[in-house]
Each structure stands twice: as structure tokens, then as C-alpha cells.
Amino acid sequence: MNAMNNPRSTLHALTPMGQGSADVESLTSYFCRLAHSHGMSAQKLAIWVLAHFEHPVSEKYDWHQRKLSSMSVESEQWAAWLSELTGVDALDRLTLVPWRHLLGMPGIAPKSDRWCPCCLAEDKRDSREPYLRLAWELAPSDACLCHKVQLTSTCPHCRHSNVRNRAAIVVPGYCTACGGFLGDEEGTVATPESLWVARQVGKMLEQRPRIAVDGVVPLLETVIERMAHGQIAAFSRRYGFSKSGVWHWLRKGGLPNLKAWLTIALNGGIGLDQLFAGAVDDWRAPEEAPQMTIPLATSPRAGITSRELDWEAIRAKLQAMLALPMPISINEACERVGIGRKHAYLRANAEARAIADRHSRYRTSVRLEREADLKVRIGEILEERLAAGYEGMSAREIWARLDSEAQSVSGIFGHINQVLASKRL
Ligand SMILES: [Zn+2]
Ligand SMILES: [Zn+2]
């Protein structure tokens, strides 16, 4: 990495927990820890962030009703805002956004908040801040691979559910109803099926998918080719999909949901991570059916909304823009490389911040220069008047003699009064 201008971040640059691992932190958790580190409630921080980005906030706004860690556009927006404010890039990795073009929406969000009590207890034992894992946000996975226990959703102290992060003030790991530690429980032993799913999901979360939007259909075609010699009817029948659902994936932009992908992985003898990395060249599906089964949900449809970009090249272009003689704004820079500002902060944070910082310093210097010119002009008007034998001049009279551009400078009377004061008039 080149030495970049890294202006001090507006919010603390907290390091996300478990980055690049199956235990990666969720953005919900990160947000709560960030609020805590600023001595604020999560609710207050949410409202501050929205106001900072001039986003309207309704009076009934409840931060915890928003899904910060999901695949939604809203999650992506929050990840970008927090990346911009903290200077920590790739915060979308703490959400399911990177998989949005691969995973159908239905069946992905858990019905209630879940956690592994052993993970939280271990965080505490190892003197780490307890944090919430992104893996707990994927409904089909209901176990912790690390501790071989089922995820739980009720507080061991007060037995209430949805007490993980649905409150104005949240300390990850503690019940929002009674304040008790959510890790004070042994956990029940997970089934082999649940552990298999947890392993797949964990591997999936370790890295961004390499399959781009336009690679999804070719990947599905390869899947059907290898698992059913390209026969859609046979493929659907054998693995319990509806034929129209599979057609929908191939022709209408539909997407298999997570359970459908897991069914493909299980029966095809291939990891979810390998499928999403497009590592299918040497893959041969086994003849034998596996010993486990995964109950299927209905097949989904969902829009395709993102595309894979060459970030190395984009970052290089952004770096080159830092050498332009005339500094440009971050919006202009984004337009030139054909990306959104949100994505720039998520995937090229240092470059985006350096461009924004350079432009803001440039604007400040332009403003200071204009003000200096203006003061010279005011001084000249005054001198002329004094030379003509008058006692002095009112600020209003000076203002009337300026050209319309100078008249509209913000704080113009303040500048005039400063010049008057300096001449003791
Ligand atoms: Zn665990
Ligand atoms: Zn409780």
C-alpha cells in the first residue's frame, strides 16, 4: 500500500472482530461496540449518523428495527456510511451484501435473534469484548461449529427472546431485558446435519464470492450439467426442486436461496465456498446420494443488483487522480471510474478519503484566497473614500460598492467589519 493521506476519522476506527474468518462480526455488533466506544447509545449514534448524511429521520425511528447486517440496500448503505466515518474499509464484509447477487432472499433472515452462548462465554474468558457473529444472521445455520452446540434464542436468566440487540442501548453479549450475560449457559449438542451446514456457512463467510452477477447462470448450468447431465427435469426431480423454480433461476433472474445452494453442495459433494468461488473446473459430482438430507424451502426469486468490478484497477485509477493538478471531488472521481461513492468508501477507503480530503483542503484554500482578495478590495474602497476627504464609511455603504459576486460571499458583513476594525474606523 502506498503512503496515503489518511485524514483522522470522524468516528473511532474500531477493528472488526474475526475478520476474514467464519467468526466474522456482524455490522449490528460493530455498530453497538462503536456507539459504546463513544459513550453513546446505539439509538443516538444511529440518529447522529443519519443527520450527518442529511438523511431524514422520523420521530418513531428505532435503530434496531433496521437490519444492519442483511443483504439489503439499507445494510449496504450503513456499511458505506460507517466505512466513511471510521476510515475502516470493507465494512460490507460484516453484512450479507457481498452475496446478494447469489442468494435468494426467502428463508435467510432468522425469525428471532440467536447466539452461541459458548462463543460469548469464550470472548469473556479470553478478555475480549463479547461480539455478535454474522453467521448467526443466516437462518438455515442453527449451530456453532466451534462449540458443537445449537444456537439459542432465549436469555438464560429471564427466558425472554429477542433480547440480543433490540434496544436503544446494547452491550453485545448482555440481555437487553434483564442485563444478564447471554453466555451463562452450556448449550445443547448440535446434530451432524446442523454442524455440516454451520461449516458450509462459515467457509462461505470467510471470503467474498468470486462469481459475479453474470457468472451466476453459467454456474447453475454447470451445476445441472455435472449433477444431472444438463437435464433440468431430472435435476429438479432428483434434488426436490420445482422445475419452474429451476427455469426461473436460469432464464428469469431468479436465485436459489441458501437452502437450495446447500442442497446442491451436499448432493454435489462440493463446498459452498468452492461453488461461490467458481472453483468447479475439476469438480465431479458423486454417484452415491449423501447420508444427510436438508429440508427444502420453496424456490425463490430475487433481483440481481450488483456486479463484480476490478477493484485493483479502480484503486490505481483513484490513486492517479490524487496527482491531478486540479483536485476533484469524491463524487466527480466516482463518476470518472463509474462507481458509486458508497462503493468507493467500502472497497477503496484510503483512496476515497484521500481524494475527499484533498478536495476539501483545496476548497478551503480557494475560499481563503477569495476572502483575502475581498479584503484588499474593501480596503481600496475605503482608501478612495478617505482620500476624497471623508471621515469614514459604513459597512452598508461599502457593501453597495462591491460587485454582485463579492456581495454574495457568505459572512460578507463580517469581512467588511474586520477591515473597518483594522483601520479603526
Ligand atoms: Zn460457539
Ligand atoms: Zn434476560
Side-chain angles (χ1 to χ4, degrees):
M1 181 75 216
N2 300 343
M4 300 286 309
N5 251 324
N6 197 12
R8 225 159 56 85
S9 60
T10 313
L11 293 176
H12 297 159
L14 282 194
T15 305
M17 305 282 214
Q19 283 184 98
S21 79
D23 281 328
V24 62
E25 182 171 25
S26 71
L27 193 65
T28 307
S29 173
Y30 184 83
F31 184 77
C32 294
R33 290 197 304 114
L34 191 61
H36 193 64
S37 87
H38 283 273
M40 286 168 104
S41 69
Q43 174 71 13
K44 207 166 158 204
L45 179 59
I47 290 183
W48 182 87
V49 171
L50 290 164
H52 182 87
F53 290 103
E54 296 173 359
H55 210 272
V57 193
S58 96
E59 275 190 17
K60 290 187 192 133
Y61 185 86
D62 249 346
W63 86 273
H64 53 86
Q65 285 178 355
R66 325 309 308 188
K67 297 259 179 287
L68 299 198
S69 313
S70 72
M71 295 198 289
S72 69
V73 173
E74 187 179 22
S75 294
E76 189 179 23
Q77 179 64 78
W78 273 96
W81 279 340
L82 295 177
S83 270
E84 186 169 343
L85 291 169
T86 58
V88 177
D89 65 2
L91 287 178
D92 61 334
R93 288 293 308 277
L94 313 190
T95 73
L96 300 176
V97 166
W99 292 272
R100 185 162 69 203
H101 64 290
L102 281 160
L103 296 177
M105 202 69 106
I108 205 150
K111 295 207 165 53
S112 58
D113 299 339
R114 299 139 356 125
W115 59 87
C116 165
C118 307
C119 281
L120 295 173
E122 196 171 282
D123 289 341
K124 200 171 161 189
R125 198 169 49 243
D126 295 349
S127 311
R128 252 194 317 268
E129 250 182 293
Y131 71 96
L132 312 176
R133 274 69 171 170
L134 180 59
W136 303 342
E137 305 298 331
L138 290 137
S141 176
D142 60 0
C144 170
L145 182 66
C146 191
H147 299 102
K148 318 263 180 289
V149 296
Q150 296 292 137
L151 299 181
T152 179
S153 58
T154 50
C155 167
H157 302 281
C158 69
R159 290 285 149 208
H160 283 105
S161 52
N162 289 326
V163 291
R164 199 188 61 184
N165 56 259
R166 300 192 194 209
I169 300 174
V170 179
V171 182
Y174 293 83
C175 174
T176 55
C178 74
F181 184 52
L182 298 175
D184 290 336
E185 199 177 10
E186 296 281 297
T188 46
V189 178
T191 63
E193 286 81 3
S194 290
L195 290 176
W196 181 84
V197 172
R199 180 187 300 278
Q200 294 299 317
V201 165
K203 295 292 278 179
M204 179 190 107
L205 295 178
E206 284 174 13
Q207 53 178 342
R208 281 184 195 277
R210 294 223 193 93
I211 291 285
V213 161
D214 54 11
V216 179
V217 168
L219 174 65
L220 286 165
E221 282 167 351
T222 304
V223 163
I224 297 167
E225 180 59 44
R226 304 283 166 82
M227 292 174 73
H229 305 292
Q231 306 290 315
I232 291 176
F235 175 77
S236 311
R237 197 171 49 244
R238 201 174 298 165
Y239 303 112
F241 300 117
S242 81
K243 213 168 102 184
S244 65
V246 176
W247 269 110
H248 196 63
W249 301 344
L250 294 173
R251 300 283 176 264
K252 304 260 178 66
L255 290 171
N257 64 5
L258 182 54
K259 274 197 174 167
W261 280 114
L262 287 165
T263 301
I264 291 168
L266 179 67
N267 291 282
I270 184 169
L272 211 52
D273 55 326
Q274 287 168 281
L275 278 170
F276 292 168
V280 292
D281 288 351
D282 302 322
W283 166 47
R284 295 284 166 269
E287 296 294 324
E288 293 275 303
Q291 297 302 302
M292 294 188 293
T293 52
I294 296 170
L296 269 178
T298 48
S299 59
R301 63 171 301 164
I304 287 181
T305 44
S306 73
R307 62 204 162 109
E308 206 50 33
L309 297 163
D310 181 352
W311 282 100
E312 279 303 309
I314 289 172
R315 291 173 70 155
K317 280 188 199 164
L318 291 173
Q319 284 180 24
M321 287 179 196
L322 283 167
L324 292 174
M326 178 69 86
I328 57 171
S329 72
I330 184 64
N331 291 338
E332 166 72 25
C334 289
E335 217 161 84
R336 289 191 191 180
V337 289
I339 57 170
R341 174 183 155 135
K342 204 157 72 173
H343 284 113
Y345 278 104
L346 286 172
R347 302 297 295 275
N349 194 282
E351 290 80 1
R353 292 168 64 85
I355 288 173
D357 182 52
R358 182 170 182 244
H359 188 243
S360 120
R361 279 185 282 116
Y362 165 71
R363 285 185 47 190
T364 305
S365 73
V366 167
R367 181 171 56 78
L368 292 177
E369 227 168 80
R370 273 186 73 186
E371 284 175 9
D373 286 350
L374 185 61
K375 284 182 180 164
V376 169
R377 178 72 196 119
I378 294 168
E380 283 169 1
I381 293 172
L382 256 175
E383 292 299 331
E384 276 170 33
R385 182 74 160 205
L386 295 175
Y390 291 90
E391 289 283 298
M393 230 177 155
S394 73
R396 172 76 36 199
E397 283 172 309
I398 294 175
W399 182 83
R401 288 177 158 240
L402 292 168
D403 61 36
S404 59
E405 195 193 330
Q407 284 176 340
S408 62
V409 166
S410 102
I412 179 66
F413 282 99
H415 297 310
I416 296 174
N417 285 325
Q418 267 180 30
V419 178
L420 285 171
S422 73
K423 312 243 183 228
R424 298 169 196 247
L425 289 165

